[in-house]
Amino acid sequence: CKKELALDKDTIGDRKVIFVTGGSQGAKRFNEVIINMVRQYKPKDLYFVIAVGKDNYELASSMLKEEDSKYIKIEKFVYEMDKMYKASDLLITRAGALTITELSIVRRPAILVPLPTAAENHQFFNAKAMENAGAGILIEENVLNETVLYDRIKDVIYDNKILETMGENAAKLYKPDVEGKIYEEIKEIVC
C-alpha cells in the first residue's frame, strides 16, 4: 500500500506512518501543530502524511524546510483514502460521522480532535464514544499543542498491541447497513 500511494519506501523505511487529515478542506491548526511538533521532536521513527487541504497547501508548503521532507509528506487532497488508511498505523483527524464510520470499517486507531464549531458539538460526542470504546484518543482543540499531541502519539504508536486493540475496538463500532436503517426510519416518519 505504501508504494501505491507514492510514499517512497527509501524515505519511509520501517517507520510508522501517521496520516493527518482535517477533512476535505483541511485544518490549518492541524498543519501548524504537526509541522511544529516534527521540528521540535524530530521523531526519526515516524513519518507523517498530511492532507492539508487545497486552500492551506501554499501556507503549509511555505512552513516546510528541505530537511522536513524526511519526516513529512504534504498532499492537497488524498483521493484514495482507503489505501491511505491501510498504509497508516495511526490517524490524527476530526470526528465527523463519516470519519468515525470509515475508521471503524478500516479498523484504524485515531487521535481525534473534534471541530469545536460543529453543530451541537456532535464531533466531541463522536470522539468521546470512540475514546470510551478504546478505539481512539480525544484531544480537544483548545488544548491541542505540540507537546500534548506528541505525548498522545507516544502513548500508542510504539506498542503494536495497543494499536491492534484500538483497531479491533474501532471495528466493533461499525454498524452494517446504516443507510438502510436511516432510510427505513425516514420512510416510517414520512408515511
Side-chain angles (χ1 to χ4, degrees), residues 128-145:
K128 191 69 177 160
M130 289 284 286
E131 184 175 67
N132 289 344
I137 296 170
L138 166 65
I139 301 175
E140 291 188 69
E141 190 163 309
N142 63 337
V143 298
L144 180 67
N145 64 44

Side-chain angles (χ1 to χ4, degrees), residues 107-127:
R107 303 170 161 249
R108 285 295 177 259
I111 293 175
L112 302 147
V113 184
L115 180 66
T117 57
E120 298 180 17
N121 207 19
H122 74 275
Q123 286 199 14
F124 171 82
F125 295 107
N126 291 346

Side-chain angles (χ1 to χ4, degrees), residues 56-74:
N56 298 314
Y57 187 78
E58 293 303 319
L59 176 61
S61 294
S62 71
M63 292 176 68
L64 290 179
K65 296 183 177 156
E66 188 175 327
E67 64 268 15
D68 296 332
S69 66
K70 293 184 241 178
Y71 308 104
I72 300 174
K73 179 178 179 66
I74 290 181

Side-chain angles (χ1 to χ4, degrees), residues 71-114:
Y71 308 104
I72 300 174
K73 179 178 179 66
I74 290 181
E75 299 284 351
K76 286 182 186 176
F77 190 80
V78 174
Y79 292 94
E80 296 181 290
M81 289 294 282
D82 59 329
K83 292 179 180 174
M84 190 66 241
Y85 282 154
K86 288 177 184 174
S88 302
D89 296 290
L90 178 69
L91 282 87
I92 300 170
T93 186
R94 293 291 190 196
L98 184 55
T99 298
I100 300 299
T101 301
E102 290 172 348
L103 292 171
S104 67
I105 290 170
V106 297
R107 303 170 161 249
R108 285 295 177 259
I111 293 175
L112 302 147
V113 184

